[in-house]
Each structure stands twice: as structure tokens, then as C-alpha cells.
Amino acid sequence: MSDLLAILSQGAASLAAQRAAAATASHNLQNANTPGYARQRAVVQTTLPADRFGGAWIGRGSVLQTVTQARDRFLEAQIPAQLGLASRSSASATTLASVSALDPTASGGLQSALSGFYAALRAAAQSPADAGLRQQAVNASRTLALTFQRTRAGLEDARKGIDAQVAGALTEVNGLAKQVAELNGQIRNARIVGGAEPNDLLDARQKAVDRLAELTGVSPVATS
């Protein structure tokens, strides 16, 4: 009777291990398009030691050892720094694009107004008695003053827009930092209770850390 119960117990353990492997494969399929998801693999090993029966060793089935993730730690260690560099370049390009008031190729811009002003002054200096040239110099100075005012207004609008973007990013950064702290606590508890790696929690934390690196340019230091 005890042998029968042992066989049934071993069969149940083996079925549970294969069920876990099938569930892991199903989990991979369901998250094939999930951003930040790392493919998982169920590690099934033979139950040791085998039982000796007469002159032979009889195996005792299999058991689930753990569920691992397919990750390249070397590449992942380089991702935050590269995300930060890409983010800085993108922010610089966006900021410069928003300051269109200083575009030297823009029609009616500051460079054009300055060129017109100096040209009118040179013409008036060469023929100071010409009332028409003097009036052109006055008109050019007015145009230059108005252009300076428009440029200042354009720069102020760009500054306000950039400040608003920074404020929005700061809110997201604070939320992500809080999320990472909460995930760290959940990961610690899961390791203590289950004695194994909580892969889905690790994926969620990595996704949040990558986004933080993209927003702030920081390089995280893993401690657990």
C-alpha cells in the first residue's frame, strides 16, 4: 500500500511539474507582445535519488526546480545609459526646434531686421541730406524694435512650454520612483515567501527603471 501511495505521489509531483511547464509556455504566448516582458522557461529536473528495487534503480519522476527568465544581463546593464543619452539628444532637439524665433533662415526674423537696419543706416550716412533715406532708417529701426519684441515673446512662449513639459515629466518621475519602491518591497516579500524569483514583478520593475532612465538619464544600481 505504501509503495502504491509513493507511486501516486510521485505521479502527482511529475504532473504538477509538467503542468507548470505548460502554464509557463502559455504565459509566454499570452505576453508575446507585452512591452518589457522577458520570456520565461520552466526548469524541470529528475527527482533524486532514485529508488533501488532488486537489482535496478527505479526513477521517481520529475519536479519543478524553478522558472527562469531569458535575459542578457550584459546588454541590459547598458540600456539605461543609452536611453539617457537618447533622451538628452531628443530633449535638446525638441527645445531648439521650439525656439523658432531665433531661426536665421526665417522670413521676417531678427537677422533680416538687423540686416535691413544696418543697410538703411549706411545709406542714410552716405546721403544724410536725403529725407527719403532718413525716413527709411527710421522705419528700419522701428521694424527692428518690433522684431526684438516678437522674438522676446517667442522665447518666452518657448520657455513656458518647456517648463510645462518639465513639470509633467517631474510628475511622471515621482510616480515611477514610488512604483519602483513598491515593487522592491513586493519582490523582497515574494522571495521570502516563495523562495524563488518573482519574474513578472522583476519585469515590471525593469520597465519602470528603464522609463526613469529615459526621463532622467540616471543609471540604476541594483542591490537586490
Side-chain angles (χ1 to χ4, degrees):
M1 186 66 178
S2 59
D3 290 343
L4 178 58
L5 290 177
I7 292 173
L8 291 175
S9 177
Q10 294 165 14
S14 299
L15 287 174
Q18 298 305 320
R19 177 182 176 278
T24 301
S26 175
H27 190 53
N28 288 333
L29 290 173
Q30 294 168 18
N31 289 277
N33 296 317
T34 301
Y37 178 79
R39 183 174 58 84
Q40 300 177 14
R41 183 174 69 90
V43 179
V44 179
Q45 68 176 10
T46 302
T47 302
L48 297 174
D51 289 331
R52 185 172 182 178
F53 185 77
W57 291 93
I58 306 300
R60 294 194 294 134
S62 60
V63 65
L64 178 70
Q65 181 183 21
T66 187
V67 178
T68 63
Q69 289 182 301
R71 288 184 176 276
D72 190 325
R73 299 298 179 183
F74 176 73
L75 292 178
E76 284 191 347
Q78 303 177 58
I79 289 176
Q82 298 304 316
L83 287 174
L85 289 174
S87 181
R88 281 193 289 272
S89 298
S90 177
S92 298
T94 302
T95 301
L96 292 174
S98 66
V99 189
S100 58
L102 296 180
D103 185 357
T105 63
S107 177
L110 189 58
Q111 181 175 351
S112 176
L114 282 170
S115 298
F117 174 70
Y118 285 120
L121 284 183
R122 284 194 299 270
Q126 292 173 0
S127 302
D130 190 327
L133 293 177
R134 293 200 300 272
Q135 185 60 45
Q136 288 181 9
V138 171
N139 293 338
S141 64
R142 289 175 178 171
T143 299
L144 180 60
L146 291 174
T147 304
F148 270 115
Q149 292 176 1
R150 287 197 302 269
T151 301
R152 178 188 177 281
L155 291 174
E156 183 65 18
D157 290 341
R159 184 189 66 80
K160 291 179 179 178
I162 293 171
D163 288 345
Q165 291 178 359
V166 171
L170 182 60
T171 300
E172 185 178 0
V173 166
N174 290 334
L176 288 169
K178 181 180 179 182
Q179 181 183 353
V180 170
E182 292 174 349
L183 287 169
N184 282 336
Q186 295 175 22
I187 289 170
R188 270 194 308 271
N189 293 336
R191 284 170 173 167
I192 293 172
V193 174
E197 292 296 300
N199 295 322
D200 294 324
L201 291 177
L202 293 174
D203 284 344
R205 184 176 67 177
Q206 187 63 47
K207 183 179 178 181
V209 167
D210 287 346
R211 180 58 178 162
L212 270 175
E214 186 178 351
L215 288 173
T216 64
V218 299
S219 296
V221 178
T223 58
S224 61

